[in-house]
Amino acid sequence: MGREVSESCIDSLLIEMVSTYCNRFYANKPELAARRIEAIGYQVGHQLSERYTMERPRFSDHLEAIKFICKDFWSELFKKQIDNLKTNHRGTFVLQDNRFRWLTRMSIDQSPENGASEEPSIMADEKAVESMHLYFPCGIIRGALSNLGIPCAVSADISNLPA
């Protein structure tokens, strides 16, 4: 029987970790906070992929490893598979999750009565705060792929929350 943690505990932990690194440890250095949050995610992803692949043979190519991340790894973390996988067949992969669990409670209010005409700087600040919450899952994916022998860079796009 596998051990599970309440989803609300994970949400709270992620929110507190981002808040602590952004507002307390590196309040004036958001790039350092982002690097540290991503590094923690990297460690988690590295260890989780080690655990989830212990009894599997090594993957023969990158596509097999990416498919493992999309199906098995993502299912273990988020109880669902990735919604869409695209590639340019040159080493770039785009994984799309249309309802990313860790962002489902976040949104940017773009209704006209609630500030769709807000200043661009305020909208940019909201996006920056939300993007801080994505460094941890990006680190998890990078760590998992690194453990599978695929050095990579991972970035996130939050143009359509919570996708």
Side-chain angles (χ1 to χ4, degrees):
M1 177 197 241
R3 293 181 283 177
E4 293 188 18
V5 176
S6 171
E7 192 171 329
S8 62
C9 289
I10 298 294
D11 289 346
S12 295
L13 178 67
L14 180 61
I15 289 167
E16 284 301 315
M17 178 180 60
V18 170
S19 175
T20 299
Y21 276 94
C22 292
N23 299 325
R24 193 165 156 212
F25 295 148
Y26 302 107
N28 298 325
K29 300 178 181 178
E31 65 283 344
L32 289 177
R35 280 204 325 238
R36 185 64 189 135
I37 293 166
E38 198 268 349
I40 294 168
Y42 178 90
Q43 268 187 306
V44 170
H46 196 274
Q47 291 172 353
L48 286 175
S49 70
E50 184 69 32
R51 172 179 283 176
Y52 299 152
T53 59
M54 245 188 321
E55 298 177 8
R56 290 175 164 252
R58 284 308 235 181
F59 298 108
S60 61
D61 66 350
H62 289 165
L63 185 57
E64 278 186 39
I66 296 294
K67 285 181 181 178
F68 164 77
I69 295 293
C70 293
K71 292 180 180 181
D72 302 327
F73 190 79
W74 210 260
S75 293
E76 287 289 334
L77 285 176
F78 303 110
K79 308 300 181 226
K80 69 183 276 283
Q81 293 181 4
I82 284 285
D83 294 314
N84 198 1
L85 169 63
K86 296 177 185 174
T87 183
N88 65 357
H89 299 291
R90 295 184 195 143
T92 300
F93 296 91
V94 177
L95 287 65
Q96 183 176 356
D97 187 338
N98 295 327
R99 290 207 36 89
F100 185 60
R101 290 175 95 100
W102 292 349
L103 295 182
T104 54
R105 292 175 189 85
M106 289 186 187
S107 66
I108 296 176
D109 190 0
Q110 296 180 352
S111 59
E113 63 274 1
N114 290 325
S117 59
E118 281 186 56
E119 294 179 34
S121 64
I122 294 172
M123 294 297 283
D125 289 344
E126 287 178 355
K127 286 270 194 188
V129 167
E130 289 158 351
S131 69
M132 280 302 218
H133 287 84
L134 292 173
Y135 285 106
F136 184 71
C138 285
I140 289 175
I141 295 169
R142 191 172 73 84
L145 288 171
S146 175
N147 187 46
L148 299 175
I150 303 172
C152 62
V154 177
S155 61
D157 175 29
I158 57 168
S159 54
N160 297 320
L161 286 176

